Amino acid sequence: MAAAALLAAGSAAQALVFAVNEGVTYRVPLEEVRGRYAAIAADLSKLLKQPVTIEPVGDYKQLRAGLAAKQYDLAMIHPAHVSIGAIKNNGYRLLVVTKGFQQYRASFLVKADSTLSSLADLKGRKLGAPDEDSITAWMVRATLRDAGVAPADVAITYTRYQDAVPFFVENNLTTSGATAAGGVVKAWLGKGGKVLAQSRPVPIKHILASPTLGEEQSARVREYLVGLDGSDEGRKKLEPIKYSGFERYDEQELLKLGTWLGL
């Protein structure tokens, strides 16, 4: 029994941690996240010959601290600005991005009868946006900057969830509302609303590898993830996480987007 306990302790100490973050502006229970990634974690455990444990991380401050301390061997990170920071400052490497999320854009919603014709018209007005540290909010501020709208020129009201943004506009609390949630934009347009402008596209939902994970191990993980949607078995494992698959992306191009975001 003592020997078994020692072996178990040794296995636990060698377990690789796969952090999963699904953003702060969507309503996803953390325990649900752990279950969704169970099949992928099991495959990675076999592939890397080490236990892989899923650690859901919903708080960005906690996520950043864990990345800085290199507590996570692998990390699925929803917000691009957090993963770019980990690549620039903590030695993490980009493995893949998530298919279907490479064209993530912030849309500026206005009422159907709005007389605004450009983002410059928002000067002196109020704008609603998701959480101040969400990737959407970072994209919103960068887009306003490109349009010549300084932070002091517009009053931004932040709210926790993406789907709360239209409420501001509908009830005249703000002149415009910015969201990157496709469903929210579609519903807004369906009710006759308009989109004043959109931001540049930014890929989100990146999977990174820690510098503590060897290059050979990282390459194995990348090949596994890229190949998941290539078989019926792999697609079944993707179903719980609700993504169609993963693909490679140029890390240097991602870092350039970080410069645009103001990182």
Side-chain angles (χ1 to χ4, degrees), residues 101-154:
F101 293 89
Q102 302 99 317
Q103 297 293 312
Y104 198 69
R105 298 174 185 267
S107 295
F108 293 77
L109 313 180
V110 293
K111 285 186 173 181
D113 60 357
S114 174
T115 59
L116 274 63
S117 61
S118 71
L119 289 178
D121 294 333
L122 285 175
K123 289 182 178 180
R125 301 176 187 270
K126 295 180 179 179
L127 172 70
D131 189 279
E132 187 172 3
D133 193 29
S134 66
I135 180 57
T136 302
W138 279 84
M139 293 162 67
V140 164
R141 292 188 292 267
T143 304
L144 289 173
R145 181 201 64 224
D146 288 353
V149 182
D153 293 339
V154 59

Side-chain angles (χ1 to χ4, degrees), residues 38-51:
I40 289 176
D43 278 354
L44 291 175
S45 296
K46 295 175 185 175
L47 183 69
L48 299 173
K49 297 180 175 58
Q50 288 178 265

Side-chain angles (χ1 to χ4, degrees), residues 11 36 80 86 90 94 113 161 185 187 203 209 260 263:
S11 296
R36 286 182 183 178
N90 310 126
L94 176 67
D113 60 357
Y161 296 112
V185 176
W260 172 71
L263 299 172

Side-chain angles (χ1 to χ4, degrees), residues 55-129:
E55 183 174 330
V57 185
D59 180 75
Y60 286 179
K61 183 178 180 180
Q62 178 187 351
L63 179 62
R64 285 187 175 101
L67 291 165
K70 300 178 180 60
Q71 293 175 356
Y72 313 130
D73 300 284
L74 295 165
M76 155 63 90
I77 303 175
H78 170 90
H81 62 295
V82 175
S83 64
I84 291 169
I87 293 168
K88 287 182 64 176
N89 306 319
N90 310 126
Y92 278 78
R93 300 183 298 274
L94 176 67
L95 296 183
V96 293
V97 297
T98 304
K99 288 185 176 180
F101 293 89
Q102 302 99 317
Q103 297 293 312
Y104 198 69
R105 298 174 185 267
S107 295
F108 293 77
L109 313 180
V110 293
K111 285 186 173 181
D113 60 357
S114 174
T115 59
L116 274 63
S117 61
S118 71
L119 289 178
D121 294 333
L122 285 175
K123 289 182 178 180
R125 301 176 187 270
K126 295 180 179 179
L127 172 70

